[in-house]
Amino acid sequence: MANERVAIEIRGSRIGGGAFGLIGAAPRGLPSEVRLKIAQELADSGATMLHDGSASQTDPLFEPQAERLELLAEMRRLTGLPVAGGLMDPAQLEGLIEVVDVVQVGAFQMQNYALLKELGRIDRAVLLRRGAANTLDELLSAADYVLSGGNERVMLCERGIRTFERAYEATLDFAAIPILKERSSLPVLLDPSVARNHRHREALSVAAAASGADGIVVELARDVGPFCERVLGAATISSGARDPHRAIGDRLRQS
Amino acid sequence: MANERVAIEIRGSRIGGGAFGLIGAAPRGLPSEVRLKIAQELADSGATMLHDGSASQTDPLFEPQAERLELLAEMRRLTGLPVAGGLMDPAQLEGLIEVVDVVQVGAFQMQNYALLKELGRIDRAVLLRRGAANTLDELLSAADYVLSGGNERVMLCERGIRTFERAYEATLDFAAIPILKERSSLPVLLDPSVARNHRHREALSVAAAASGADGIVVELARDVGPFCERVLGAATISSGARDPHRAIGDRLRQS
Amino acid sequence: MANERVAIEIRGSRIGGGAFGLIGAAPRGLPSEVRLKIAQELADSGATMLHDGSASQTDPLFEPQAERLELLAEMRRLTGLPVAGGLMDPAQLEGLIEVVDVVQVGAFQMQNYALLKELGRIDRAVLLRRGAANTLDELLSAADYVLSGGNERVMLCERGIRTFERAYEATLDFAAIPILKERSSLPVLLDPSVARNHRHREALSVAAAASGADGIVVELARDVGPFCERVLGAATISSGARDPHRAIGDRLRQS
Amino acid sequence: MANERVAIEIRGSRIGGGAFGLIGAAPRGLPSEVRLKIAQELADSGATMLHDGSASQTDPLFEPQAERLELLAEMRRLTGLPVAGGLMDPAQLEGLIEVVDVVQVGAFQMQNYALLKELGRIDRAVLLRRGAANTLDELLSAADYVLSGGNERVMLCERGIRTFERAYEATLDFAAIPILKERSSLPVLLDPSVARNHRHREALSVAAAASGADGIVVELARDVGPFCERVLGAATISSGARDPHRAIGDRLRQS
């Protein structure tokens, strides 16, 4: 689009500037061993990074921070992939950055300016989730807070805004993808968690990849391989490759 | 998805049930000869149907009905494709169905129950546009009005709902596509007119095609060929073809 | 407010310009004799006008037009008050204006420009309800259509817009009252039907009256007298009377 | 309403349970001496409490915390009224509670569960502002976090939700007042700051008082006396007094 696209480097992986980022996780509710198994499947299927299901809006107070960090560290050891960890309480930042490669800022914290300023000073990439009532202007302004502190590794993530429609929890704003890409050179991701089931999440992830998103953030409980193949295939199409299926094969062989 | 998909037959063309419908038009503001030229380009590029730019929310009273119908008839003669005409004043229905193959019901009329009942009795397919403040339940209920009158050729079209976001005129609700496909067997289309420019409309059309929409309704002023190629390519991918580029070639040779 | 306020004259009653309009009805679901009894109670309690519960969004097709008009005519005969009748199908206009003093345009028809233009030519006052997804600008623009046809007796009615909040059917936009009064000289009414019960409707009607609305449109199934007393009392306060309770007494004696 | 209403005691002042709270401030942008002068006028006109204009959504980082606290302390010394201070960065809590009687939780922090839990343990009343995209259920749930920590002095404040309407910054949800009163016994306040000017804020404050709100939170730059008289008059009406003007006089003489 209009801006020169910037690629973010995260421990050898790249997102943006033509490199599609598939950031996956198992849902938080599952047992640790299942989550690790799904993490391995994601790595085997071409995922770029892992996360800890922090998209969840469930009560963060009942999620023991220590266990969560241990699981993230284990996922990283096991797969060799970089990991993103959700920050829901700013007081957890210090512990978090010892473990993760990317700090994922929850939608509720998107306008916590004190936190944003602090994130501008850390040596970790930042994944900024749009708040459910925040405009794209406000998301870009939040990113500017981090950037102006000197941290240039910021990714933007659309994950749904609140509307009158009751068929799902929030309305995914797809038009945000081309608009954010036009107004910023930062990688633009989409998280389809508001969709009600695996099939819907897949349809929306494929749509995001095809429409030029730089990546997706997703939770998967099953069918990891086929999901990744379809999304990465769509991403390859959108990047203009003439033979997406060969491109996916190449990508998997490289990883 | 869950429902068996129904294909709508319109004068030899098919939309739904695996057949992707590309319903295109030139913007209304252009001169007639330019609109006809774009109509021909659309036909040459694999479009399924033509329409008259009725997506526009401009004042219908200043659009002379006779001229509009004449242009639709001319587009049909010229290209051999079926045409869809927008209905903005129910009083225009009688004149409209003499010319068009599909009646496109504007978002403002989506809950005009008297009109919907009448549309159930006509021998023309109906393209039902979701109102900017209507839920998916209401759209499905409007479709039921037409269906219950005996007219089974109904298509559903998502074209944006009103939200707080100011970056565009309405928020395209992409999750509507998998949800409508799950709840109904009717073809589900998307109209990306609320996007601000050609490039955004293309990104969103490709996303719709890739995510399983049965078609798009779109206005194009330029780059008709590349636009159609990309969208039809994405549609072919989503339908599971192993070589989308060959599939597009086949499609164009058949048309 | 900023504009000189205009009073609309309707068969001897006035709304606007300092005269508060209490336009009441029984809910549609009740038997005719109960609706007539409530109409009489409204008249005895100081109501300015009666209506036919057309606020309802229930299916207009199953409401026999003839019975509805007969009831309106009977309410008028019985009480001597002017009556407002809802227009949900434009084809009903002709029959409606033979009976009613005010044509109430349903929210679904607010942008039916052909209808608005026709309403500009009739000799009946028009009560224009804001659509659930329409901005205040669009409501004012709809009013302009009627005014520009030569019909100057137009009233504006706020009745709720669609938002993410699920605690009620639509969010009553109270700030619409001062904004509409600033931008227009037409009477500004509020209809609290979206509230879930009598008590909420009363609280919101009192609030509307107190904040300077020119009237309310309301449905009541019980406690008609106390409701009217409280609302008219609040209206008197807002108009600057030093002793609202005496003012209400005066009003009732005059009626 | 349905619940027995609870009065919150704050340094001798009461809000709720029939006692209307007028919590006023000068806009933040004004010089300190003007803000103190307006604070005195508020006290002389019957205000219940003062605050520091924290309703503002301007960047909290550029507001020096020390100066703000000093001004709050000075307002309290000068007028003898309790003061409420806005909390925009949870790290400021410790300093804040040394000065203020009420901690005002900004809309952005409404779902900061760690903070809410902490507020449950402090010996200060809490004024909880509804987030612009939060449902009433979520506001009540946030209040429960504070209450369950043992702090029973919680007030709820509606201040606007984000909708498609562009005529103001957020849509004031008046129906929230009766609904919150029905679902909770806590005092329910309204802040009309989203209104564009003094006159609109007054109309909406009067409406809130008349419809049964337990108080308002407001910023005033002029006409403090007349504003307070009208709002307190409306509050007196809603509480059922037969002669509101005498009641206001009594109130002022007592204060």
Side-chain angles (χ1 to χ4, degrees), chain C residues 77-109:
Chain C
R77 244 188 322 269
L78 182 72
T79 64
L81 290 180
V83 296
L87 181 75
M88 272 161 298
D89 178 358
Q92 302 176 333
L93 181 58
E94 209 172 337
L96 192 66
I97 60 178
E98 284 175 26
V99 174
V100 304
D101 304 290
V102 176
V103 174
Q104 196 176 164
V105 181
F108 298 163
Q109 302 290 346

mmCIF file of all heavy atoms in Angstrom, chain C residues 77-109:
data_model
loop_
_atom_site.group_PDB
_atom_site.id
_atom_site.type_symbol
_atom_site.label_atom_id
_atom_site.label_comp_id
_atom_site.label_asym_id
_atom_site.label_seq_id
_atom_site.Cartn_x
_atom_site.Cartn_y
_atom_site.Cartn_z
ATOM 1 N N ARG C 77 -63.387 11.067 18.408
ATOM 2 C CA ARG C 77 -64.777 11.420 18.729
ATOM 3 C C ARG C 77 -64.954 11.494 20.234
ATOM 4 O O ARG C 77 -65.510 12.431 20.782
ATOM 5 C CB ARG C 77 -65.709 10.329 18.186
ATOM 6 C CG ARG C 77 -66.659 10.809 17.093
ATOM 7 C CD ARG C 77 -67.701 9.755 16.718
ATOM 8 N NE ARG C 77 -67.223 8.393 16.689
ATOM 9 C CZ ARG C 77 -66.716 7.784 15.611
ATOM 10 N NH1 ARG C 77 -66.606 8.424 14.461
ATOM 11 N NH2 ARG C 77 -66.314 6.522 15.680
ATOM 12 N N LEU C 78 -64.441 10.451 20.907
ATOM 13 C CA LEU C 78 -64.649 10.301 22.350
ATOM 14 C C LEU C 78 -64.032 11.443 23.145
ATOM 15 O O LEU C 78 -64.635 11.982 24.074
ATOM 16 C CB LEU C 78 -64.036 8.967 22.787
ATOM 17 C CG LEU C 78 -64.156 8.547 24.237
ATOM 18 C CD1 LEU C 78 -65.601 8.158 24.538
ATOM 19 C CD2 LEU C 78 -63.242 7.345 24.531
ATOM 20 N N THR C 79 -62.796 11.792 22.807
ATOM 21 C CA THR C 79 -62.039 12.712 23.664
ATOM 22 C C THR C 79 -61.990 14.134 23.129
ATOM 23 O O THR C 79 -61.649 15.054 23.863
ATOM 24 C CB THR C 79 -60.571 12.242 23.777
ATOM 25 O OG1 THR C 79 -59.975 12.306 22.477
ATOM 26 C CG2 THR C 79 -60.481 10.819 24.298
ATOM 27 N N GLY C 80 -62.252 14.303 21.865
ATOM 28 C CA GLY C 80 -62.110 15.632 21.274
ATOM 29 C C GLY C 80 -60.667 16.013 20.982
ATOM 30 O O GLY C 80 -60.395 17.099 20.476
ATOM 31 N N LEU C 81 -59.743 15.119 21.304
ATOM 32 C CA LEU C 81 -58.322 15.423 21.053
ATOM 33 C C LEU C 81 -57.938 15.064 19.613
ATOM 34 O O LEU C 81 -58.516 14.155 19.021
ATOM 35 C CB LEU C 81 -57.427 14.633 22.015
ATOM 36 C CG LEU C 81 -57.458 15.030 23.489
ATOM 37 C CD1 LEU C 81 -56.489 14.133 24.284
ATOM 38 C CD2 LEU C 81 -57.061 16.497 23.670
ATOM 39 N N PRO C 82 -56.935 15.740 19.083
ATOM 40 C CA PRO C 82 -56.409 15.331 17.784
ATOM 41 C C PRO C 82 -55.708 13.970 17.907
ATOM 42 O O PRO C 82 -55.271 13.594 18.999
ATOM 43 C CB PRO C 82 -55.404 16.435 17.418
ATOM 44 C CG PRO C 82 -55.103 17.148 18.681
ATOM 45 C CD PRO C 82 -56.265 16.957 19.601
ATOM 46 N N VAL C 83 -55.600 13.247 16.802
ATOM 47 C CA VAL C 83 -54.959 11.926 16.828
ATOM 48 C C VAL C 83 -53.853 11.829 15.784
ATOM 49 O O VAL C 83 -53.925 12.426 14.713
ATOM 50 C CB VAL C 83 -55.986 10.787 16.590
ATOM 51 C CG1 VAL C 83 -57.008 10.738 17.716
ATOM 52 C CG2 VAL C 83 -56.661 10.931 15.241
ATOM 53 N N ALA C 84 -52.819 11.041 16.149
ATOM 54 C CA ALA C 84 -51.705 10.775 15.243
ATOM 55 C C ALA C 84 -51.716 9.301 14.874
ATOM 56 O O ALA C 84 -51.872 8.447 15.743
ATOM 57 C CB ALA C 84 -50.374 11.124 15.915
ATOM 58 N N GLY C 85 -51.548 9.011 13.596
ATOM 59 C CA GLY C 85 -51.560 7.615 13.158
ATOM 60 C C GLY C 85 -50.258 7.257 12.468
ATOM 61 O O GLY C 85 -49.730 8.025 11.668
ATOM 62 N N GLY C 86 -49.752 6.089 12.797
ATOM 63 C CA GLY C 86 -48.471 5.649 12.246
ATOM 64 C C GLY C 86 -48.602 5.176 10.811
ATOM 65 O O GLY C 86 -49.557 4.489 10.458
ATOM 66 N N LEU C 87 -47.615 5.540 10.007
ATOM 67 C CA LEU C 87 -47.583 5.121 8.611
ATOM 68 C C LEU C 87 -46.459 4.117 8.452
ATOM 69 O O LEU C 87 -45.290 4.470 8.560
ATOM 70 C CB LEU C 87 -47.306 6.332 7.728
ATOM 71 C CG LEU C 87 -47.263 6.034 6.232
ATOM 72 C CD1 LEU C 87 -48.668 5.834 5.708
ATOM 73 C CD2 LEU C 87 -46.565 7.148 5.494
ATOM 74 N N MET C 88 -46.798 2.878 8.224
ATOM 75 C CA MET C 88 -45.710 1.927 8.045
ATOM 76 C C MET C 88 -45.602 1.443 6.621
ATOM 77 O O MET C 88 -44.559 1.062 6.170
ATOM 78 C CB MET C 88 -45.825 0.790 9.040
ATOM 79 C CG MET C 88 -45.077 1.206 10.319
ATOM 80 S SD MET C 88 -45.578 0.237 11.740
ATOM 81 C CE MET C 88 -47.306 0.666 11.856
ATOM 82 N N ASP C 89 -46.693 1.519 5.899
ATOM 83 C CA ASP C 89 -46.651 1.197 4.480
ATOM 84 C C ASP C 89 -47.123 2.448 3.735
ATOM 85 O O ASP C 89 -48.253 2.899 3.902
ATOM 86 C CB ASP C 89 -47.584 0.021 4.196
ATOM 87 C CG ASP C 89 -47.615 -0.320 2.720
ATOM 88 O OD1 ASP C 89 -46.947 0.381 1.937
ATOM 89 O OD2 ASP C 89 -48.310 -1.275 2.361
ATOM 90 N N PRO C 90 -46.236 3.020 2.907
ATOM 91 C CA PRO C 90 -46.598 4.262 2.212
ATOM 92 C C PRO C 90 -47.916 4.155 1.457
ATOM 93 O O PRO C 90 -48.613 5.160 1.289
ATOM 94 C CB PRO C 90 -45.423 4.469 1.260
ATOM 95 C CG PRO C 90 -44.271 3.784 1.922
ATOM 96 C CD PRO C 90 -44.865 2.607 2.632
ATOM 97 N N ALA C 91 -48.286 2.942 1.048
ATOM 98 C CA ALA C 91 -49.538 2.786 0.303
ATOM 99 C C ALA C 91 -50.745 3.112 1.168
ATOM 100 O O ALA C 91 -51.838 3.340 0.668
ATOM 101 C CB ALA C 91 -49.645 1.358 -0.234
ATOM 102 N N GLN C 92 -50.546 3.128 2.492
ATOM 103 C CA GLN C 92 -51.668 3.409 3.396
ATOM 104 C C GLN C 92 -51.930 4.898 3.565
ATOM 105 O O GLN C 92 -52.884 5.292 4.246
ATOM 106 C CB GLN C 92 -51.397 2.814 4.771
ATOM 107 C CG GLN C 92 -51.164 1.302 4.764
ATOM 108 C CD GLN C 92 -50.807 0.792 6.141
ATOM 109 O OE1 GLN C 92 -50.260 1.521 6.964
ATOM 110 N NE2 GLN C 92 -51.113 -0.475 6.405
ATOM 111 N N LEU C 93 -51.088 5.737 2.984
ATOM 112 C CA LEU C 93 -51.166 7.171 3.281
ATOM 113 C C LEU C 93 -52.543 7.746 3.007
ATOM 114 O O LEU C 93 -53.114 8.457 3.844
ATOM 115 C CB LEU C 93 -50.096 7.934 2.491
ATOM 116 C CG LEU C 93 -50.050 9.445 2.739
ATOM 117 C CD1 LEU C 93 -49.824 9.745 4.208
ATOM 118 C CD2 LEU C 93 -48.950 10.093 1.904
ATOM 119 N N GLU C 94 -53.099 7.424 1.848
ATOM 120 C CA GLU C 94 -54.364 8.041 1.451
ATOM 121 C C GLU C 94 -55.461 7.785 2.486
ATOM 122 O O GLU C 94 -56.147 8.707 2.930
ATOM 123 C CB GLU C 94 -54.782 7.502 0.078
ATOM 124 C CG GLU C 94 -55.612 8.493 -0.723
ATOM 125 C CD GLU C 94 -55.836 7.968 -2.153
ATOM 126 O OE1 GLU C 94 -55.024 7.126 -2.595
ATOM 127 O OE2 GLU C 94 -56.814 8.379 -2.780
ATOM 128 N N GLY C 95 -55.606 6.510 2.872
ATOM 129 C CA GLY C 95 -56.627 6.184 3.859
ATOM 130 C C GLY C 95 -56.349 6.845 5.203
ATOM 131 O O GLY C 95 -57.260 7.291 5.902
ATOM 132 N N LEU C 96 -55.085 6.939 5.541
ATOM 133 C CA LEU C 96 -54.705 7.470 6.848
ATOM 134 C C LEU C 96 -55.076 8.945 7.007
ATOM 135 O O LEU C 96 -55.621 9.344 8.044
ATOM 136 C CB LEU C 96 -53.194 7.290 7.030
ATOM 137 C CG LEU C 96 -52.626 7.517 8.418
ATOM 138 C CD1 LEU C 96 -53.139 6.478 9.393
ATOM 139 C CD2 LEU C 96 -51.105 7.497 8.390
ATOM 140 N N ILE C 97 -54.799 9.740 5.982
ATOM 141 C CA ILE C 97 -55.006 11.180 6.173
ATOM 142 C C ILE C 97 -56.482 11.549 6.206
ATOM 143 O O ILE C 97 -56.832 12.662 6.586
ATOM 144 C CB ILE C 97 -54.278 12.034 5.097
ATOM 145 C CG1 ILE C 97 -54.760 11.691 3.698
ATOM 146 C CG2 ILE C 97 -52.774 11.848 5.197
ATOM 147 C CD1 ILE C 97 -54.095 12.556 2.636
ATOM 148 N N GLU C 98 -57.348 10.630 5.833
ATOM 149 C CA GLU C 98 -58.785 10.933 5.984
ATOM 150 C C GLU C 98 -59.191 10.920 7.449
ATOM 151 O O GLU C 98 -60.200 11.487 7.815
ATOM 152 C CB GLU C 98 -59.613 9.904 5.208
ATOM 153 C CG GLU C 98 -59.581 10.150 3.710
ATOM 154 C CD GLU C 98 -60.320 9.050 2.955
ATOM 155 O OE1 GLU C 98 -61.219 8.435 3.572
ATOM 156 O OE2 GLU C 98 -59.974 8.809 1.799
ATOM 157 N N VAL C 99 -58.400 10.228 8.264
ATOM 158 C CA VAL C 99 -58.792 10.028 9.661
ATOM 159 C C VAL C 99 -57.939 10.833 10.633
ATOM 160 O O VAL C 99 -58.452 11.381 11.609
ATOM 161 C CB VAL C 99 -58.712 8.527 10.024
ATOM 162 C CG1 VAL C 99 -58.958 8.310 11.502
ATOM 163 C CG2 VAL C 99 -59.691 7.726 9.180
ATOM 164 N N VAL C 100 -56.644 10.930 10.391
ATOM 165 C CA VAL C 100 -55.761 11.469 11.428
ATOM 166 C C VAL C 100 -55.435 12.947 11.219
ATOM 167 O O VAL C 100 -55.571 13.480 10.116
ATOM 168 C CB VAL C 100 -54.432 10.686 11.491
ATOM 169 C CG1 VAL C 100 -54.689 9.201 11.712
ATOM 170 C CG2 VAL C 100 -53.605 10.921 10.251
ATOM 171 N N ASP C 101 -54.984 13.563 12.313
ATOM 172 C CA ASP C 101 -54.536 14.955 12.263
ATOM 173 C C ASP C 101 -53.031 15.034 12.063
ATOM 174 O O ASP C 101 -52.510 16.045 11.600
ATOM 175 C CB ASP C 101 -54.919 15.649 13.574
ATOM 176 C CG ASP C 101 -56.410 15.532 13.842
ATOM 177 O OD1 ASP C 101 -57.191 16.170 13.118
ATOM 178 O OD2 ASP C 101 -56.794 14.748 14.737
ATOM 179 N N VAL C 102 -52.340 13.962 12.453
ATOM 180 C CA VAL C 102 -50.885 13.924 12.342
ATOM 181 C C VAL C 102 -50.477 12.567 11.762
ATOM 182 O O VAL C 102 -50.954 11.527 12.229
ATOM 183 C CB VAL C 102 -50.209 14.087 13.727
ATOM 184 C CG1 VAL C 102 -48.697 13.938 13.622
ATOM 185 C CG2 VAL C 102 -50.584 15.426 14.350
ATOM 186 N N VAL C 103 -49.605 12.601 10.759
ATOM 187 C CA VAL C 103 -49.061 11.361 10.213
ATOM 188 C C VAL C 103 -47.731 11.081 10.897
ATOM 189 O O VAL C 103 -46.820 11.916 10.880
ATOM 190 C CB VAL C 103 -48.844 11.456 8.689
ATOM 191 C CG1 VAL C 103 -48.132 10.214 8.165
ATOM 192 C CG2 VAL C 103 -50.169 11.668 7.980
ATOM 193 N N GLN C 104 -47.640 9.931 11.542
ATOM 194 C CA GLN C 104 -46.419 9.560 12.242
ATOM 195 C C GLN C 104 -45.589 8.649 11.325
ATOM 196 O O GLN C 104 -46.022 7.554 10.979
ATOM 197 C CB GLN C 104 -46.776 8.840 13.544
ATOM 198 C CG GLN C 104 -45.617 8.755 14.493
ATOM 199 C CD GLN C 104 -45.959 8.132 15.863
ATOM 200 O OE1 GLN C 104 -45.053 7.755 16.586
ATOM 201 N NE2 GLN C 104 -47.213 8.023 16.203
ATOM 202 N N VAL C 105 -44.407 9.134 10.946
ATOM 203 C CA VAL C 105 -43.578 8.371 10.019
ATOM 204 C C VAL C 105 -42.649 7.458 10.801
ATOM 205 O O VAL C 105 -41.820 7.922 11.587
ATOM 206 C CB VAL C 105 -42.751 9.320 9.121
ATOM 207 C CG1 VAL C 105 -41.904 8.518 8.146
ATOM 208 C CG2 VAL C 105 -43.680 10.264 8.382
ATOM 209 N N GLY C 106 -42.805 6.165 10.595
ATOM 210 C CA GLY C 106 -42.018 5.184 11.346
ATOM 211 C C GLY C 106 -40.541 5.291 11.028
ATOM 212 O O GLY C 106 -40.137 5.791 9.975
ATOM 213 N N ALA C 107 -39.742 4.833 11.983
ATOM 214 C CA ALA C 107 -38.285 4.926 11.852
ATOM 215 C C ALA C 107 -37.788 4.260 10.567
ATOM 216 O O ALA C 107 -36.831 4.723 9.951
ATOM 217 C CB ALA C 107 -37.630 4.271 13.067
ATOM 218 N N PHE C 108 -38.450 3.188 10.135
ATOM 219 C CA PHE C 108 -38.003 2.480 8.926
ATOM 220 C C PHE C 108 -38.204 3.334 7.677
ATOM 221 O O PHE C 108 -37.587 3.076 6.649
ATOM 222 C CB PHE C 108 -38.779 1.180 8.730
ATOM 223 C CG PHE C 108 -38.604 0.202 9.832
ATOM 224 C CD1 PHE C 108 -39.490 -0.856 9.985
ATOM 225 C CD2 PHE C 108 -37.559 0.302 10.727
ATOM 226 C CE1 PHE C 108 -39.335 -1.773 10.991
ATOM 227 C CE2 PHE C 108 -37.393 -0.616 11.746
ATOM 228 C CZ PHE C 108 -38.293 -1.654 11.874
ATOM 229 N N GLN C 109 -39.129 4.278 7.742
ATOM 230 C CA GLN C 109 -39.475 5.062 6.556
ATOM 231 C C GLN C 109 -38.776 6.416 6.544
ATOM 232 O O GLN C 109 -39.004 7.219 5.653
ATOM 233 C CB GLN C 109 -40.998 5.288 6.510
ATOM 234 C CG GLN C 109 -41.815 4.016 6.504
ATOM 235 C CD GLN C 109 -41.673 3.255 5.194
ATOM 236 O OE1 GLN C 109 -41.176 3.782 4.209
ATOM 237 N NE2 GLN C 109 -42.077 2.002 5.193
#
